[in-house]
Amino acid sequence: MVLPIYIYGQPVLRKESVDIAPDYPELPQLIENMFETLTASEGVGLAAPQIGLNIRVAVIDLDVLSDDFPEYKDFRRAYINPHIIEFDEDSPTETMEEGCLSLPGIHENVTRHTRIRVQWQDPDFTKHDEWVDGYLARVMQHEFDHLDAHMFIDRISPLRRQLIKGKLKALLQGKYRCGYRTKPARR
């Protein structure tokens, strides 16, 4: 089932998410719904707060990039209780343009670490601890930020934030267009 994406201004996006236990109700269905929602919205990542749930669950699908990045062929993964443990301070940072399904129409340059260490569980609750680099590290940082009540606009300069203030206000007022189902802050 395709779920609505919660838009900037929804309180759930600014509340820290909590870890879940293996008995979380209907987790397989939730993950399937998140992937369907991600596909319908043409995104590469989706965190649970973006569908109104403050739980530490995120899905990432990089297969859509596999023409340019063959290493992401069939890359489709759900992350349960993910946490970034550390940033590789010896690796460079990289600045790239980012957008967000919860901020339709807004794209800004964001500087992120190129290598991170993450701990997470798969849908069977098997624990993983790994170093991740490249574009996947960027997407993880973006999605896992949502779980910590942050959005990519929190990582841009105060000047850039001032310059997009009108766009943010329009989102708060429900004045935006996008090709997927949404739940605006207000109407």
Side-chain angles (χ1 to χ4, degrees):
M1 172 192 336
V2 175
L3 305 169
I5 304 285
Y6 282 55
I7 300 299
Y8 175 78
Q10 282 282 353
V12 69
L13 296 171
R14 294 302 193 174
K15 185 178 175 192
E16 193 163 342
S17 296
V18 297
D19 284 352
I20 62 170
D23 63 351
Y24 188 84
E26 300 184 33
L27 182 60
Q29 185 63 53
L30 171 64
I31 291 168
E32 183 179 322
N33 290 346
M34 289 180 72
F35 275 119
E36 285 182 30
T37 302
L38 181 61
T39 300
S41 58
E42 298 181 356
V44 295
L46 183 67
Q50 293 179 276
I51 58 164
L53 299 172
N54 282 120
I55 58 173
R56 295 193 75 87
V57 176
V59 296
I60 296 175
D61 185 347
L62 297 182
D63 185 63
V64 296
L65 306 173
S66 63
D67 287 345
D68 295 323
F69 302 96
E71 66 270 28
Y72 296 133
K73 179 75 177 147
D74 299 323
F75 187 98
R76 188 174 191 250
R77 190 171 291 160
Y79 296 88
I80 312 300
N81 302 327
H83 294 273
I84 296 174
I85 302 304
E86 63 183 300
F87 299 95
D88 183 354
E89 299 298 336
D90 295 329
S91 67
T93 58
E94 184 176 56
T95 302
M96 288 180 65
E97 185 177 86
E98 290 187 19
C100 180
L101 297 173
S102 294
L103 293 158
I106 297 178
H107 297 85
E108 291 291 327
N109 286 325
V110 179
T111 302
R112 296 201 186 265
H113 290 271
T114 57
R115 189 166 188 262
I116 59 173
R117 181 176 161 221
V118 294
Q119 290 180 347
W120 55 282
Q121 294 167 301
D122 60 32
D124 295 324
F125 284 83
T126 301
K127 294 181 180 183
H128 300 267
D129 186 327
E130 64 184 331
W131 282 95
V132 178
D133 56 15
Y135 192 70
L136 177 58
R138 172 172 292 277
V139 175
M140 284 180 158
Q141 288 170 82
H142 179 109
E143 298 309 327
F144 300 171
D145 267 358
H146 281 297
L147 304 177
D148 294 325
H150 299 296
M151 301 178 87
F152 82 87
I153 56 171
D154 301 335
R155 302 202 179 278
I156 62 176
S157 73
L159 174 61
R160 288 301 310 160
R161 187 147 176 150
Q162 187 64 31
L163 290 171
I164 64 169
K165 192 174 183 180
K167 290 180 180 180
L168 294 173
K169 184 177 179 183
L171 290 177
L172 289 172
Q173 296 171 343
K175 299 177 182 174
Y176 60 88
R177 286 188 161 176
C178 58
Y180 46 88
R181 291 181 57 208
T182 64
K183 185 166 177 69
R186 62 179 168 161
R187 290 239 181 229

